Amino acid sequence: MKTERTKYVMKVYRYLAVIIFSIPYFASAQYTGNFWYFNDSLGLKFNRDSFDIITDGVTSTREGTSVICKNDTLLLYSDGITVWDSRHEVLNNGIGLLGNPSSIQSCLLLRQPESKSVFIFTTDASSTEKRADNNGICYSIANFDATTRQWQLSTKNISLISGSNEAITAKRASSFNGYWVIFPEYSTRNIVIYKLDKFGLSFFSKQPVLPSSNIGKSQIKISSAGSYIALLTQGTGVDYKITLLDFNNNSGTILNTRTINDFVAEGLEFSPNEKYLYVQGYSTRFLTDKVKAGIYQIVLDNVSLDTKLTPRNSTLLHEASNSSSMSITPNHKIFLTHTTSAGKKFSAILEPDSFGDSCNFTP
């Protein structure tokens, strides 16, 4: 009998050539169902213990996408600029959103509780990359018309904040029926939090918890139970960090800022059990610190106030150069892409809750 690991390895290898040669690099799909759509019309449909390649999508983007489902039925998906329905048709008024094909987390789709409305959050390319006419972070609202049986955008491109770090995430709250919507504020030390509940979207707080006001192009992830937030930066200047924060999913409070310094990362993901953070990148002091460029597993409990990547707090899983995206799958694996001297690679971490090499990184 084939083990789960063997089945996944065979499945990954089966589609490896298709994915590598069809996609410039894996778009960062934010999971809200069993469907992922990324660029060149490709996607993945996840089953109970496997996945299938799908080619019915119509996305064509370099980076972030988002999908929303209901009971594993596709509802809507977007690249931050256009929104499509389950028939892969553009929604009425569903073009011209203010995301960007060069934004890591170009969009995020969330179903409003006790409503049929879907909020579509978009982020422009980073303000360091696109200085003029930056659209920052905006939201639009899609509603389902019961008479025509079609989705349409009723509200479009409402600004939340000017400037963009390309980073946005959300987590279902434990204290109310709804979501915390979380993103860094450009050119400040603030993390901004909004509440999305049955009453709509409302501002909650700005918390000055970031180690620097110049985090540059970024990406933000929150762990499965909402206990941790991780923020990576591509920096402005030479102050490159991975920032780890504690998050209280009940009160919406952020505490205990600590950093891994002198490390440039692009792509990160938490393990489902919230014990590990997976990152890919390289040290800015590799000659003196002897830190190789690659994919690392970081033990969260061993990250202190102001630290560096060391054998004590991390395990090098695979040597790889820059350009990586990571996403956790519905069946608790982590899929990622990265670049090596041999070219672009599609890999999987098959047991991300396990320590060190036991996590079964499969290149």
Side-chain angles (χ1 to χ4, degrees):
M1 179 178 292
K2 291 186 176 70
T3 65
E4 183 183 9
R5 181 178 189 277
T6 303
K7 289 191 292 183
Y8 253 84
V9 170
M10 292 179 68
K11 198 84 170 180
V12 168
Y13 285 162
R14 184 182 306 171
Y15 296 127
L16 181 62
V18 175
I19 291 175
I20 288 175
F21 291 110
S22 298
I23 302 174
Y25 50 85
F26 198 47
S28 179
Q30 301 202 44
Y31 164 68
T32 45
N34 279 7
F35 292 84
W36 285 5
Y37 285 102
F38 27 96
N39 40 338
D40 292 351
S41 303
L42 283 171
L44 299 175
K45 180 182 180 181
F46 290 90
N47 308 306
R48 182 179 180 84
D49 59 359
S50 62
F51 67 91
D52 295 309
I53 199 87
I54 50 178
T55 58
D56 55 355
V58 292
T59 48
S60 179
T61 186
R62 290 186 292 151
E63 299 195 35
T65 63
S66 184
V67 182
I68 193 162
C69 303
K70 181 182 180 182
N71 299 326
D72 298 328
T73 298
L74 176 65
L75 291 181
L76 302 172
Y77 62 104
S78 176
D79 59 2
I81 301 167
T82 305
V83 190
W84 297 272
D85 62 18
S86 59
R87 299 170 297 178
H88 312 290
E89 296 180 356
V90 178
L91 269 61
N92 182 27
N93 198 30
I95 59 174
L97 275 66
L98 298 180
N100 193 286
S102 188
S103 175
I104 298 173
Q105 293 174 300
S106 180
C107 61
L108 173 65
L109 274 60
L110 294 173
R111 185 76 174 264
Q112 182 181 359
E114 302 181 39
S115 167
K116 293 185 178 180
S117 298
V118 172
F119 276 68
I120 305 164
F121 299 90
T122 60
T123 72
D124 203 348
S126 69
S127 297
T128 52
E129 181 178 340
K130 183 186 176 186
R131 293 182 183 276
D133 301 320
N134 193 285
N135 295 306
I137 296 177
C138 302
Y139 75 91
S140 302
I141 304 175
N143 290 298
F144 185 74
D145 188 321
T147 302
T148 62
R149 308 295 297 174
Q150 292 182 336
W151 288 89
Q152 62 181 2
L153 253 65
S154 58
T155 302
K156 191 171 178 180
N157 294 332
I158 305 301
S159 177
L160 289 177
I161 203 162
S162 59
S164 171
N165 298 104
E166 304 187 7
I168 189 168
T169 191
K171 177 58 62 178
R172 182 171 285 279
S174 58
S175 54
F176 62 92
N177 182 19
Y179 297 91
W180 303 110
V181 181
I182 305 165
F183 53 87
E185 181 180 29
Y186 179 71
S187 197
T188 78
R189 295 180 57 242
N190 293 329
I191 292 285
V192 180
I193 301 180
Y194 277 76
K195 291 175 65 174
L196 176 63
D197 56 19
K198 65 180 181 180
F199 302 107
L201 186 69
S202 60
F203 173 78
F204 178 73
S205 69
K206 288 185 181 183
Q207 302 178 42
V209 294
L210 295 175
S212 169
S213 61
N214 297 311
I215 66 169
K217 187 173 182 177
S218 183
Q219 184 180 161
I220 190 170
K221 290 288 182 76
I222 191 164
S223 59
S224 57
S227 303
Y228 299 101
I229 293 171
L231 189 76
L232 61 82
T233 78
Q234 292 189 349
T236 54
V238 294
D239 191 21
Y240 298 98
K241 299 177 186 292
I242 298 172
T243 299
L244 182 65
L245 306 158
D246 292 348
F247 183 69
N248 187 317
N249 197 25
N250 183 67
S251 66
T253 305
I254 302 172
L255 299 168
N256 194 18
T257 302
R258 55 247 195 242
T259 60
I260 296 174
N261 300 330
D262 305 321
F263 193 83
V264 181
E266 185 177 301
L268 75 169
E269 188 61 84
F270 287 99
S271 63
N273 65 2
E274 299 190 319
K275 289 185 177 181
Y276 311 111
L277 177 68
Y278 293 90
V279 300
Q280 190 276 333
Y282 61 93
S283 170
T284 60
R285 295 169 53 86
F286 65 92
L287 292 178
T288 55
D289 294 348
K290 309 299 183 185
V291 174
K292 296 180 179 179
I295 297 159
Y296 286 85
Q297 180 196 68
I298 297 172
V299 181
L300 295 180
D301 285 345
N302 292 339
V303 179
S304 59
L305 180 64
D306 203 21
T307 188
K308 294 183 179 181
L309 213 62
T310 67
R312 181 178 177 274
N313 61 29
S314 65
T315 301
L316 175 62
L317 302 175
H318 188 74
E319 290 188 42
S321 56
N322 209 14
S323 296
S324 172
S325 181
M326 300 185 189
S327 289
I328 194 162
T329 72
N331 27 33
H332 308 303
K333 318 297 178 186
I334 293 176
F335 283 1
L336 63 150
T337 58
H338 51 95
T339 304
T340 69
S341 58
K344 293 178 174 63
K345 300 292 182 181
F346 177 63
S347 300
I349 300 170
L350 302 178
E351 298 176 49
D353 284 344
S354 298
F355 174 69
D357 293 337
S358 297
C359 72
N360 282 332
F361 176 85
T362 305

